Amino acid sequence: MYCVRNVTEDLYWVGANDHRLHLFENIHPIPRGVSYNAYLLLDEKTVLFDTVDWSACRQLLENLDHVLAGRPLDYLLINHMEPDHGASIEEILLRYPDVKVISTEKAFLFMRQFGFHIDGHELITVKEGDTQSFGKHTVTFVAAPMVHWPEAMVTFDTTNGVLFAADAFGSFGALDGKLFADEVNFDRDWIDDARRYLTNIVGKYGPHIQLLLKKAAGILDQIKFICPLHGPVWRENLGYFIDKYDKWSRYEPEEKGVLIAYASMYGNTESAAQALASKLCEKGMSNVWVYDVSNTHVSQLISETFRLSHVVVASVTYNLGIYPVMHNYLMDMKALNLQNRTFAIIENGSWAPTSGDLMQKFITDELKDMTLLNERVSFTSSLNATKAAELESLADAIIDSMKDEK
């Protein structure tokens, strides 16, 4: 059975929703599923913008058959070759043997690497600034390398203001009928998945996102729709989401608040984290979020770290080092290029507390543009009343540092 929706009068969403996949890219949990968005334009020529993951290919084919209603598919336009969007290319070529394929030179290279038999078809290689007319609709192409693969581009329909945004402006979460962002309470129900998607998938490439945003700024008044490859389509309040992308890609916190991430073996380091959270709230800073790094997926930790201005890392010492999952969290910060946060440290160790010095060294040597507060709580085995003054000082230092920020 087909499942389609109109984006505009002659543009259709022909993608699919996936609630069976548990891990996006086999690493990031997606309890709300994910959508694979593809779009079909009916003009004098018909154009399919991107395909879907192989697991959703049947749905795509049923959708195409319904919307085309016997018309041929004239063009397949590929903005992004990652398999969750490009895996069904071969099947489209088999079903529509006369289709012409439009993409970048590097994307065609990737198609061949994935074993797709494209060379029997007419291939149209495009670069930034090129245009293509399909009748009344004319599109122009904008290079978007490393957002987040090197071959990526976005396509702008100058006729109706639709930006086919590839993996930019996307989100985890299946659409389940609600195609448009204004059909949901995005700030309540979707923003966390959107942030987790961007920060973990594309977060490393903030400067490349900034470059794309600068290019888009020149046509911002012309963009009426943003059609990403995952998540809802934007047709209202575009500035809200563009502002989020601007902040995330500049590594600017969304909010003043404190993330307390703790690694605890027997509950004693957890108790210290909870005591600090209570102190902060008593002092008026209640935007405090406490996470156990052993039980919280690192993608959520990263998303929260992008959201909040201050991070407290509280770790037990393990094999004279940082507790492994805490170390993994720090390594992900480095891999995703996190910057511009204020850090504080709590360390624990029964006979040789070393995690504090090691975390400090990692933050100062491996991460960029971080502020590290001098106040540190260091204890052995369990936090006792003699450490109350240190905990108080740490809470005061965190709040004072927030006052110093603009």
Side-chain angles (χ1 to χ4, degrees):
M1 176 66 182
Y2 64 85
C3 180
V4 302
R5 281 199 66 181
N6 277 89
V7 179
T8 65
E9 180 183 3
D10 48 10
L11 180 66
Y12 296 79
W13 177 85
V14 291
N17 292 289
D18 189 348
H19 281 285
R20 295 188 177 192
L21 187 68
H22 295 291
L23 295 174
F24 188 83
E25 294 186 344
N26 210 26
I27 187 171
H28 306 294
I30 46 171
R32 296 175 57 241
V34 70
S35 70
Y36 309 117
N37 299 342
Y39 305 92
L40 181 65
L41 177 67
L42 298 185
D43 200 346
E44 292 175 20
K45 300 295 184 181
T46 60
V47 190
L48 175 61
F49 294 84
D50 296 288
T51 71
V52 299
D53 187 82
W54 179 245
S55 64
C57 185
R58 178 179 175 181
Q59 185 68 69
L60 173 67
L61 295 174
E62 290 178 351
N63 293 343
L64 286 176
D65 185 63
H66 170 72
V67 178
L68 287 170
R71 291 186 63 181
L73 179 63
D74 297 305
Y75 292 95
L76 170 61
L77 194 158
I78 298 296
N79 288 296
H80 183 29
M81 249 308 294
E82 196 169 5
D84 54 334
H85 311 296
S88 297
I89 289 174
E90 181 85 338
E91 190 65 23
I92 295 298
L93 299 181
L94 290 170
R95 298 279 182 131
Y96 302 96
D98 296 325
V99 70
K100 302 177 180 67
V101 187
I102 303 173
S103 200
T104 63
E105 182 179 5
K106 193 171 288 288
F108 286 129
L109 170 66
F110 286 172
M111 290 179 205
R112 294 183 180 98
Q113 286 181 186
F114 279 108
F116 299 156
H117 298 87
I118 61 174
D119 291 313
H121 297 261
E122 182 177 338
L123 306 180
I124 302 172
T125 303
V126 295
K127 61 184 183 304
E128 179 152 350
D130 288 350
T131 61
Q132 182 82 32
S133 176
F134 304 117
K136 70 177 183 179
H137 288 266
T138 298
V139 300
T140 186
F141 305 102
V142 180
M146 302 318 301
V147 184
H148 61 123
W149 276 29
E151 91 304 349
M153 69 176 181
V154 301
T155 301
F156 181 59
D157 188 330
T158 59
T159 304
N160 59 8
V162 172
L163 179 68
F164 298 96
D167 260 350
F169 302 107
S171 176
F172 296 138
L175 297 173
D176 299 339
K178 299 175 286 291
L179 176 62
F180 297 102
D182 55 272
E183 294 178 322
V184 301
N185 188 329
F186 195 90
D187 203 51
R188 184 191 68 193
D189 299 331
W190 280 81
I191 189 61
D192 288 340
D193 269 337
R195 185 190 307 104
R196 193 162 63 89
Y197 169 85
L198 183 280
T199 57
N200 286 276
I201 305 300
V202 198
K204 180 180 179 67
Y205 305 108
H208 298 84
I209 299 172
Q210 280 291 304
L211 180 60
L212 180 59
L213 289 174
K214 286 182 175 64
K215 293 178 181 179
I219 56 170
L220 202 56
D221 60 331
Q222 303 172 51
I223 299 174
K224 307 302 181 187
F225 297 83
I226 298 177
C227 292
L229 289 177
H230 297 291
V233 170
W234 289 81
R235 62 182 177 182
E236 295 181 7
N237 199 17
L238 275 59
Y240 161 86
F241 205 35
I242 292 171
D243 179 67
K244 295 293 186 185
Y245 260 66
D246 182 45
K247 279 187 169 66
W248 296 335
S249 58
R250 286 190 289 110
Y251 308 102
E252 177 184 320
E254 286 175 67
E255 306 169 18
K256 284 189 178 181
V258 185
L259 165 63
I260 303 175
Y262 71 84
S264 187
M265 294 173 63
Y266 302 111
N268 295 298
T269 309
E270 177 184 5
S271 293
Q274 292 289 353
L276 177 62
S278 293
K279 284 288 183 188
L280 289 166
C281 292
E282 285 175 2
K283 294 174 182 292
M285 171 39 64
S286 58
N287 193 17
V288 177
W289 301 82
V290 180
Y291 292 99
D292 180 350
V293 295
S294 295
N295 294 327
T296 308
H297 194 270
V298 71
S299 66
Q300 184 177 353
L301 294 174
I302 289 295
S303 176
E304 289 290 80
T305 310
F306 269 76
R307 179 170 71 94
L308 298 166
S309 60
H310 286 61
V311 182
V312 179
V313 283
S315 180
V316 67
T317 298
Y318 194 83
N319 287 332
L320 296 180
I322 305 169
Y323 198 64
V325 283
M326 179 64 79
H327 187 257
N328 290 344
Y329 170 41
L330 292 168
M331 288 295 291
D332 266 28
M333 290 186 207
K334 177 184 176 180
L336 294 167
N337 204 25
L338 182 76
Q339 303 169 36
N340 305 319
R341 297 299 185 274
T342 299
F343 275 83
I345 290 173
I346 297 175
E347 70 168 347
N348 184 11
S350 290
W351 63 90
T354 60
S355 60
D357 286 343
L358 293 171
M359 289 190 292
Q360 177 172 327
K361 179 175 174 55
F362 191 98
I363 292 164
T364 55
D365 293 355
E366 303 293 337
L367 303 181
K368 298 178 183 177
D369 297 327
M370 299 302 187
T371 300
L372 185 62
L373 299 179
N374 292 325
E375 291 76 7
R376 180 198 295 186
V377 175
S378 179
F379 64 98
T380 52
S381 300
S382 63
L383 194 67
N384 55 47
T386 63
K387 294 290 181 178
E390 291 182 26
L391 200 66
E392 192 90 20
S393 294
L394 179 55
D396 286 338
I398 291 170
I399 291 174
D400 288 345
S401 70
M402 290 183 174
K403 295 175 183 175
D404 294 339
E405 293 177 350
K406 294 180 180 179

